[in-house]
Amino acid sequence: MSEKVALITGITGQDGSYLAELLLERGYRVHGMVRRSSTESFERIAHLVDRVELHQADLLDQGSLITLLREVRPAELYNLAAQSFVPTSWLQPALTGEFTALGVTRMLEAVRFVDPEIRFYQASSSEMYGKVRETPQNESTPFYPRSPYGVAKVYGHYITVNYRESFGLFAVSGILFNHESPRRGREFVTRKISEAVARIKLGLEDELRLGNLDARRDWGYAPEYVDAIWRMLQQEEPEDFVIGTGEQHTPREFVEIAFDHVGLDPADFVRVDPALIRPAEVETLLADPTKARERLGWRATTPFPELVRIMVEADLEAQERASGRRRGGAETR
């Protein structure tokens, strides 16, 4: 039996890197799509570059996607690439739409044109719920996005549904709630907190500026979520799934646990900056992952306090290596 071939767009991101690891462990031949840029960053997959095959293509260029699929011929395609940072979507709303919405259409068209048997996964988002209509949110909860990013994700979600229903593609969306790890981008609030706490502990910074500390989110551990993603493409019939923990927490709680881990009082360092508050805030997100538990056999297992400690500890170790300082106050040469 020949090895299964998978293609991951967004392989250099948090989820892409963990998914690549999982697929390699399961015996896949893994290909990744990367964009040509003046500053290429393969930091998250540096340990995998000799085990995956990388290809240049772009969600803005239909022809490059067709060429890529013809070359790779994947059995499974995981579309994780997007402009995925909500604040940036307010600064670049049209570009966010091109990547995060129309990019999905271009990829689905490429699948339909090259090989309709490819199983397609679309990374949907809890941000689609926005100004929530009901709590908790499940697969049938109406969407009410509150940012250009959320609007673009709703388009990507429904175009995937449309291609599944119109052309018979095995195309599914995973509506993933917030999921974090030491590989989370530094612009996201959880990683911003964990890295700042590490730097404050080492005496490299003396302040952490944040926006809304009381928004409620469903936060899980990213390596577990890519397992749910993989399971969605192994089902007999294509279906969409909500993936989350079913628990809510606030940035304030994240801050308190993070500072407690290093023995510091957040009141001495944390400042609220109104400039960091969104134009239209999403106040509460809470997953109902019942369907994923019953159909996929999946559930989140890492407790929230443990997730925070994992991230802070990883950033402490990284900052110690980079700065030569130690959390006890000593320096190494």
Side-chain angles (χ1 to χ4, degrees):
M1 180 175 149
S2 61
E3 60 186 343
K4 200 177 256 190
V5 177
L7 172 63
I8 304 171
T9 76
I11 193 171
T12 60
Q14 169 187 259
D15 292 4
S17 64
Y18 284 122
L19 180 60
E21 290 176 347
L22 180 144
L23 294 175
L24 288 168
E25 289 170 5
R26 294 183 180 276
Y28 281 69
R29 182 177 176 184
V30 178
H31 297 258
M33 187 185 96
V34 296
R35 295 182 67 215
R36 177 73 179 94
S37 67
S38 57
T39 54
E40 294 180 335
S41 176
F42 298 148
E43 175 185 356
R44 296 184 184 92
I45 59 168
H47 62 299
L48 299 176
V49 290
D50 59 345
R51 301 176 62 199
V52 300
E53 299 172 57
L54 301 179
H55 309 262
Q56 287 186 7
D58 200 308
L59 289 176
L60 302 185
D61 185 339
Q62 181 80 65
S64 72
L65 301 178
I66 291 172
T67 300
L68 174 62
L69 293 188
R70 281 176 170 163
E71 181 179 348
V72 172
R73 293 288 176 175
E76 298 173 4
L77 167 53
Y78 298 88
N79 187 42
L80 310 183
Q83 191 302 100
S84 59
F85 188 46
V86 172
T88 297
S89 79
W90 288 104
L91 298 173
Q92 300 178 326
L95 185 63
T96 298
E98 286 286 349
F99 276 117
T100 309
L102 293 179
V104 185
T105 311
R106 296 186 188 103
M107 187 59 83
L108 285 164
E109 270 293 280
V111 168
R112 190 167 73 93
F113 185 75
V114 175
D115 181 4
E117 296 302 310
I118 294 171
R119 294 195 166 203
F120 178 86
Y121 172 84
Q122 165 59 15
S124 287
S125 168
S126 59
E127 287 287 333
M128 299 188 305
Y129 294 119
K131 189 175 181 180
V132 298
R133 306 292 186 90
E134 62 185 24
T135 297
Q137 296 88 51
N138 60 31
E139 291 80 4
S140 61
T141 300
F143 300 134
Y144 194 143
R146 298 270 280 172
S147 67
Y149 170 76
V151 172
K153 279 294 185 182
V154 170
Y155 178 99
H157 179 87
Y158 276 126
I159 200 67
T160 301
V161 171
N162 271 258
Y163 271 67
R164 175 171 74 221
E165 295 179 350
S166 301
F167 302 116
L169 300 185
F170 192 108
V172 304
S173 287
I175 306 174
L176 271 57
F177 281 63
N178 296 68
H179 48 290
E180 318 298 318
S181 76
R183 298 181 192 174
R184 191 54 143 155
R186 289 173 173 84
E187 68 273 22
F188 290 87
V189 66
T190 50
R191 183 70 192 287
K192 181 178 180 180
I193 293 169
S194 64
E195 188 171 70
V197 167
R199 290 180 63 79
I200 288 169
K201 178 63 176 177
L202 298 176
L204 299 169
E205 289 182 16
D206 57 11
E207 185 178 72
L208 169 57
R209 303 182 75 83
L210 296 169
N212 184 357
L213 292 176
D214 297 311
R216 302 189 65 80
R217 292 291 186 270
D218 186 322
W219 272 308
Y221 188 37
E224 297 173 0
Y225 284 47
V226 299
D227 178 56
I229 289 172
W230 174 79
R231 290 179 187 225
M232 288 181 217
L233 289 196
Q234 313 313 310
Q235 301 303 297
E236 288 187 12
E237 299 294 331
E239 293 185 85
D240 303 327
F241 288 89
V242 162
I243 304 297
T245 69
E247 294 183 7
Q248 276 186 324
H249 299 278
T250 64
R252 191 181 303 277
E253 291 175 72
F254 199 107
V255 164
E256 290 169 353
I257 296 169
F259 275 97
D260 181 69
H261 183 68
V262 297
L264 297 174
D265 184 349
D268 295 333
F269 306 99
V270 177
R271 305 291 177 262
V272 173
D273 184 348
L276 298 175
I277 296 175
R278 296 182 185 183
E281 186 59 81
V282 174
E283 295 292 347
T284 182
L285 292 172
L286 177 63
D288 174 4
T290 302
K291 182 180 175 183
R293 184 170 62 248
E294 294 177 349
R295 304 274 186 90
L296 300 178
W298 179 92
R299 68 173 66 235
T301 60
T302 302
F304 177 71
E306 180 63 17
L307 167 64
V308 179
R309 288 190 285 267
I310 287 170
M311 293 182 66
V312 172
E313 196 58 35
D315 274 321
L316 272 169
E317 293 174 4
Q319 292 296 322
E320 284 177 333
R321 288 193 302 270
S323 68
R325 298 196 181 191
R326 293 292 176 263
R327 59 195 83 179
E331 290 193 24
T332 59
R333 299 291 181 185

